[in-house]
Amino acid sequence: MAIGTAYLFNIKLPFNFNSPYSSINIQDFWRRWHITLSRFLRDYIYIPLGGNRKGEISIYVNIMMTFLIGGLWHGVGWTFIIWGSMHGAALCIQRMWKKLDMQMPRVLAIFITFNFVNIAWVFFRAKSVHDALNVLRAMVGLNSFIGLSAFETVGRLNSAVALIIGCVAVLALFASRNSNLMPQDFQPSRSMVLVTSVLIVISLLFLNSSIPKGFIYNDF
């Protein structure tokens, strides 16, 4: 939406997301996700703090400070602090791992990175730490109804549907090209205009009927 709106005013926004969920490690993720924010954190926080010029211990301290500030940039609250700390700690661990010169299978590396990022997102989106922990417990099956067959049946059905959707999403993730590269091969046609028009109308109908949601940075 932002890219399309910018084009209406003849503004070309910088390349900002490069398929981040297929990253092989957390450093690779931050090179792909919200690239403009990553550059800002690097150029205006990490490097002024000393970057990697003052020894190994200082590098880890600077990484943690950068991502703590990055968390607070998104909002003032413990959930954002925890989110930033998790990413900072993950980057420190990934740096240590790299120094060991050990290789991990690519599929396993993507799997670990993908799941870590999504676990961290729980804290990013939760209203409180308590809510985030409840979601995490539910994700591993600890918040379940015991002895209530109706609820258990519904829960199993929901889990099966979620698993199917998840598998389809993962296949789409790795099989599809990055959306920023798709316009390179785009060939306009009457059928494409018709399909696009129908999709826009459907989107507007859903947009009009959806429940308003608070702006994520309203506490910033």
Side-chain angles (χ1 to χ4, degrees):
M1 290 176 67
I3 294 172
T5 304
Y7 272 124
L8 291 175
F9 295 94
N10 199 30
I11 298 172
K12 187 175 181 180
L13 295 177
F15 191 63
N16 209 25
F17 293 91
N18 185 18
S19 304
Y21 290 111
S22 59
S23 303
I24 58 174
N25 56 54
I26 196 64
Q27 185 180 33
D28 187 33
F29 173 80
W30 277 94
R31 287 173 177 167
R32 294 165 171 259
W33 181 81
H34 211 329
I35 297 171
T36 52
L37 173 62
S38 300
R39 290 173 182 167
F40 177 85
L41 294 174
R42 179 195 66 194
D43 295 343
Y44 294 97
I45 300 178
Y46 180 70
I47 292 177
L49 283 173
N52 56 1
R53 301 189 302 271
K54 297 182 179 180
E56 197 67 17
I57 300 299
S58 294
I59 292 175
Y60 296 129
V61 172
N62 293 339
I63 290 174
M64 289 302 301
M65 288 295 297
T66 298
F67 280 88
L68 278 172
I69 295 172
L72 288 172
W73 181 86
H74 287 88
V76 179
W78 284 109
T79 52
F80 292 110
I81 292 174
I82 292 173
W83 175 80
S85 299
M86 289 177 68
H87 276 274
L91 280 163
C92 291
I93 293 171
Q94 195 267 327
R95 182 178 177 85
M96 295 176 189
W97 176 270
K98 190 175 180 180
K99 283 185 169 296
L100 296 174
D101 197 25
M102 296 175 65
Q103 298 295 323
M104 182 182 296
R106 183 180 180 85
V107 174
L108 179 60
I110 294 174
F111 177 80
I112 293 174
T113 305
F114 179 84
N115 281 280
F116 169 80
V117 168
N118 282 284
I119 289 171
W121 281 137
V122 173
F123 288 95
F124 187 89
R125 293 296 291 128
K127 293 182 179 180
S128 67
V129 176
H130 182 265
D131 288 347
L133 294 176
N134 281 337
V135 172
L136 292 177
R137 280 193 289 266
M139 287 170 66
V140 296
L142 295 180
N143 287 356
S144 60
F145 294 94
I146 300 175
L148 299 176
S149 57
F151 285 108
E152 289 176 356
T153 302
V154 172
R156 287 174 188 150
L157 287 173
N158 288 339
S159 298
V161 172
L163 180 61
I164 294 171
I165 293 174
C167 291
V168 172
V170 169
L171 289 174
L173 170 68
F174 292 103
S176 303
R177 295 182 66 194
N178 186 281
S179 59
N180 291 278
L181 302 177
M182 290 180 181
Q184 297 176 3
D185 302 326
F186 177 72
Q187 296 293 332
S189 63
R190 291 182 179 180
S191 60
M192 180 61 69
V193 171
L194 178 61
V195 171
T196 303
S197 300
V198 171
L199 291 175
I200 290 174
V201 171
I202 293 174
S203 299
L204 290 174
L205 290 174
F206 276 102
L207 182 66
N208 187 48
S209 62
S210 63
I211 300 173
K213 299 183 182 298
F215 185 50
I216 191 172
Y217 298 134
N218 64 323
D219 293 328
F220 173 60

